[in-house]
Amino acid sequence: MKTNSVDSLLETLYELSGIHFSIDNETDFDESNVKRIDELVTRLRSKLSPAQLMERYINGLMGLDEIITGAHDIHFEIPPLMDLMIISFKETITSEAISVINSLYDPSNGFMFKKDNHTCVLIHSAFDITSVDNYIKTCSSIRDMLNTEAMVNARIAFDRTSTLKELPIVYQHTETALKIGYIFDPDKTIYNYHNLGLGKLLYNLPTDVCANFLKDSLPDVDFSTIDNETLNIITTFLDNGLNLAETARILYMHRNTLVYRLEKFKNQTNLDLKQFDDAVLFRIGTMIYKYLKTKENGN
Amino acid sequence: MANIKLENITKVYDSGVTAVKDFNLDIKDKEFIIFVGPSGCGKSTTLRMIAGLEDISAGTLKIDDKVMNNVEPKDRDIAMVFQNYALYPHMTVYDNMAFGLKLRKTPKDEIDKKVHEAAEILGLVPYLDRKPKALSGGQRQRVAMGRAIVRNPKVFLMDEPLSNLDAKLRVQMRIEISKLHEKLGATMIYVTHDQTEAMTLGTRIVVMKDGVIQQTDTPQNLYQKPANLFVAGFIGSPQMNFVDAEILKEGTGLVAKVGDSKLSIPAEKAKALEDQGYVGKTVVLGIRPEHLFDPALAKVEGIDTNNKISSTIRVYELLGAEVFLYFDYAGTQMTARVDPKTTAKSGDHFDFVLDMSMAHFFDKETEKTITN
């Protein structure tokens, strides 16, 4: 049994190995033989792709020694320091998006692989990133390029610059950052593993513990009825260290109006947000509410 | 041709947070409209909904009377320029500008024609062979704009495109964007948090807060007739002074009692206050810093010097053509912008004359204007 597909496989085998193979017409050649050639081609192909080597390594399918040997076999020089970013798309990744990402780096310094139909991983020899701000700026640039050139929305998560040895853990952190960021800051598009705050803690709590906390500690607060304006005022007040003057300035609001709004909220919920303990309680409550709501929506 | 109509547009994120609420706006063909407001007010979200980068939770978006809610972003004939004007580092200016067209499989000669046309408009012809590294910040931003122009879209969306530039360059680029709008004759929507940028660029401005439109008007009307306390405070720098005032009847007219001063309210404003039942109630009085005068200079301007408040000047700031005086009155920090001829100095106990014909009155609860 010799078909066109076998010819094509043999041709590929020659391209990958530089060795000519042929099948004697007399040989008993069946499906299992085709499968074995196909596997050989796949193995050779994977050997030639640094991206595939990295994908296996960060997913724990290959050890440190193996990737070093594998990289050596294909004459691929692993950069001493690398940056890893996970880019997540709401829709299926388009060819335009892949083209944009591939054009962002010099192919000899980086590579990208698809994690699934909505996510891809970009690994690059360390960008010239010296601070978290620069990391955010780099991620923002990638996001904006995807927005403007490929017309797709993207969220990007990052951890830190790492060595090859640290890369699998950095990958895990980055994945976690994307999940937690999406729950607690869904309106943001850039997530830093080291800036997930309380979200990192709450994410690891069972949902029933969270639900009970809301019931027990904040019985008078119905988070579903708090309007956006009130929430924005409170968030700004909390973000500014419970400073009335500063909050009023940022919100372009009269100080007395702010005091009136906080009093009104106190009458409705029994929470005096000018008190540190109540403010913390409300902050945690809001986050838990978001977390439970996201879980409820099946995300 | 690109009229854009946003009808009752609402955006609710998966977490339940409402980012934009019941947004209604008609944008005319070739109009240059600005969305302005503080961070988190929903202006960028609205822009992204127009672009198709965010789903619309409720309401209808129409471009040229065609419903666009479910049209793919790339099929909306829109181009965007964002704050982070990243350029492909390994490509020349030409290739950077051509990249989007290549992605869309545009024929080579057409790409060449469009890139050269855009480069001409933006003054980038001498730089077409350069790499981004060899360009200044302003030139890079122009390349980013060039990438949008080559597409020849119906609508340009700009999200804080000048935020990464220094102050001097921002002013230059502002002028260039204005000229660009005239040259291209396309509909432009420009998002900024900077009220100066908004006031100088737009023919119409949409002021937003908490996902809600506060006022849509010309720059002049926003400044002179703010619809509410927020707009009054947001537009203008230094911002409008606000102080609680009790409205009292005195003789045939009304006065505003502020601290220990009584300020006569001009007849037209008094009528509005009286008709709406504010006599005997406390309202918020708003007065812009330039409507507070040094008494000696107020006389020259023909302003009633009886309407005055007294306080000690905390800070004297000479800016050359004007002087800012900072002081506290009735528990509020206030600013006066006066002529440098003033004799006022830091630490002086000073009278400030208020031009009450320029005063604004706002309801304390609803924060809406009473007299505009």
Side-chain angles (χ1 to χ4, degrees), chain B residues 14-133:
Chain B
D14 292 347
S15 62
V17 170
T18 308
V20 178
K21 217 180 328 180
D22 207 20
F23 190 103
N24 285 286
L25 186 68
D26 260 329
I27 303 168
K28 290 182 218 96
D29 182 34
K30 295 175 186 167
E31 191 174 2
F32 194 156
I33 197 156
I34 312 275
F35 294 173
V36 70
S39 159
C41 72
K43 54 190 188 302
S44 290
T45 306
T46 308
L47 195 81
R48 296 170 73 81
M49 282 193 281
I50 296 172
L53 293 171
E54 294 283 355
D55 293 334
I56 296 170
S57 309
T60 312
L61 167 73
K62 288 179 186 168
I63 298 180
D64 288 340
D65 298 323
K66 249 175 78 184
V67 176
M68 286 284 157
N69 290 43
N70 297 316
V71 174
E72 285 290 311
K74 60 180 174 8
D75 300 326
R76 294 188 186 198
D77 203 0
I78 274 170
M80 288 173 286
V81 181
F82 286 164
Q83 179 181 346
N84 301 290
Y85 49 90
L87 304 176
Y88 301 108
H90 311 291
M91 295 183 195
T92 61
V93 168
Y94 181 98
D95 289 334
N96 262 284
M97 285 164 76
F99 185 77
L101 296 177
K102 281 181 190 161
L103 275 185
R104 284 164 189 76
K105 316 257 186 289
T106 310
K108 220 175 163 190
D109 50 347
E110 200 180 322
I111 292 177
D112 195 56
K113 189 173 161 250
K114 285 184 169 174
V115 170
H116 276 97
E117 275 172 8
E120 193 74 47
I121 291 171
L122 295 160
L124 287 171
V125 175
Y127 310 103
L128 283 174
D129 293 329
R130 289 199 191 171
K131 296 263 175 77
K133 231 192 246 175

Side-chain angles (χ1 to χ4, degrees), chain A residues 210-246:
Chain A
C210 291
N212 285 336
F213 176 83
L214 288 189
K215 257 188 236 161
D216 299 343
S217 305
L218 294 158
D220 299 321
V221 186
D222 181 356
F223 286 94
S224 65
T225 60
I226 301 173
D227 64 275
N228 208 25
E229 191 185 356
T230 309
L231 198 61
N232 186 34
I233 290 171
I234 296 172
T235 308
T236 313
F237 182 58
L238 302 188
D239 288 346
N240 286 282
L242 314 185
N243 183 328
L244 284 167
E246 185 60 9

Side-chain angles (χ1 to χ4, degrees), chain B residues 3-14:
Chain B
N3 304 299
I4 303 171
K5 204 170 197 167
L6 295 110
E7 296 170 342
N8 310 106
I9 296 282
T10 295
K11 173 71 188 177
V12 184
Y13 282 110
D14 292 347

Side-chain angles (χ1 to χ4, degrees), chain A residues 90 148 153 182 228 232 257, chain B residues 14 18 53 55 151 210 367:
Chain A
K90 195 172 179 189
T148 53
N153 213 352
Y182 181 74
N228 208 25
N232 186 34
T257 310
Chain B
D14 292 347
T18 308
L53 293 171
D55 293 334
R151 287 189 204 165
D210 300 327
E367 300 185 357

Side-chain angles (χ1 to χ4, degrees), chain A residues 185-202:
Chain A
D185 281 310
D187 43 344
K188 282 192 185 158
T189 47
I190 310 290
Y191 303 122
N192 169 7
Y193 177 76
H194 299 279
N195 194 23
L196 299 170
L198 272 175
K200 223 187 261 183
L201 176 70
L202 298 177

